[in-house]
Amino acid sequence: MDTMSAANAEPLPALHRQAIRLEQFSIAWMLIEASVAVTAGIIAASLALTSFGLDSVIELVSASLVLRRLQAERAHGQPDQRAERRVLRIIAVTFFLLAAYVVIGSVIDLATRAHPERSPVGIGLTVASLLVMPLLGWRKRRVGASLHNQLVLADAAETILCATLAATTLLGLALFAAFSWWWADPIAALAVAYFAVREGREAWHGELACDD
C-alpha cells in the first residue's frame, strides 16, 4: 500500500486531528521565523530578510485562520464565512502594503547603493526554512487530499510558497556574503514583493476560503 493509500485508509477524525496539529506547528514555526527574520533583518539593514520576516507574519495570520476553521468543523459548528472573508481581505491589503514597502525600499537602496551587513543568522534561518517548509507543505497536502479539504490544500500551497521565498532570500544573502554584491539584497527583496502581490490577489479573491 503506498503512502497516499495509507493516508486515505486513516479514519477521518484522525486525519482531522493531524490537520489541526500541522496548523499548530505552522503557527509556532512562523512565530519563530518572523521574530528572528525581522530582528536580524533590521540589525543587518537587509531589506530582503526584513521583508521575508514580514511575510512570515502574514503567513502566521493565514495559518491561524485555517486553524480556527478546522477547530470549528471539529466542534460541528458552522464558521462565519463572511467574517473570514473580511479577514482575508485584510490579509490581502497587508500583502499589498508589504509589496509597496519592498518596492519603495528596493528603489531607494538601488539608487543610493545601500550596503547591508552580512547576516549569518539570516542565512541560517532561511536554510532551516528550506528544510522545514517543503516537508510541512507536503504533509498538509497529503492530509488535505485525504480529507478532500480545499482549505488545507490551499494552505499547503502557501507553505510551499514560503519555501520559495526562503530560497530567494537565501540567494540574496549568500551572494552578498560571498561576493559583496550589494545589489543582490534589494533584487531579492523585489522577488519577495512579486510573491506578496501574488498571495495578496489570492487572498482578496478568497482562495483560502474555498467552499467547494
Side-chain angles (χ1 to χ4, degrees), residues 84-115:
E84 289 170 2
R85 289 186 183 277
R86 286 195 296 268
V87 172
L88 283 172
R89 292 291 175 94
I90 294 173
I91 293 173
V93 171
T94 59
F95 271 123
F96 296 145
L97 291 175
L98 171 61
Y101 160 77
V102 172
V103 170
I104 293 172
S106 296
V107 171
I108 293 174
D109 284 358
L110 288 170
T112 60
R113 298 175 64 90
H115 287 68

Side-chain angles (χ1 to χ4, degrees), residues 54-138:
L54 294 176
D55 179 80
S56 298
V57 172
I58 300 173
E59 298 284 354
L60 168 65
V61 175
S62 298
S64 300
L65 175 61
V66 175
L67 176 62
R68 188 182 70 170
R69 291 200 65 174
L70 288 171
Q71 290 174 331
E73 291 174 8
R74 185 175 64 175
H76 304 292
Q78 293 298 323
D80 187 346
Q81 294 186 0
R82 289 186 178 180
E84 289 170 2
R85 289 186 183 277
R86 286 195 296 268
V87 172
L88 283 172
R89 292 291 175 94
I90 294 173
I91 293 173
V93 171
T94 59
F95 271 123
F96 296 145
L97 291 175
L98 171 61
Y101 160 77
V102 172
V103 170
I104 293 172
S106 296
V107 171
I108 293 174
D109 284 358
L110 288 170
T112 60
R113 298 175 64 90
H115 287 68
E117 299 292 331
R118 289 175 173 81
S119 179
V121 173
I123 291 175
L125 174 67
T126 49
V127 168
S129 295
L130 278 175
L131 295 174
V132 172
M133 289 295 101
L135 178 60
L136 180 60
W138 175 79

Side-chain angles (χ1 to χ4, degrees), residues 2-3 37 43 51 89 96 104 107 127 151 164 169 186:
D2 59 23
T3 304
I43 292 174
S51 302
R89 292 291 175 94
F96 296 145
I104 293 172
V107 171
V127 168
L151 185 61
T164 303
T169 305

Side-chain angles (χ1 to χ4, degrees), residues 22-32 60 63-65 67:
L22 288 170
E23 295 303 332
Q24 290 171 335
F25 178 83
S26 292
I27 291 170
W29 178 267
M30 289 301 172
L31 279 170
I32 297 171
L60 168 65
S64 300
L65 175 61
L67 176 62

Side-chain angles (χ1 to χ4, degrees), residues 166-194:
T168 302
T169 305
L170 175 61
L171 179 62
L173 295 173
L175 287 176
F176 178 72
F179 306 109
S180 297
W181 291 350
W182 62 270
W183 46 265
D185 186 78
I187 294 299
L190 286 174
V192 175
Y194 166 78

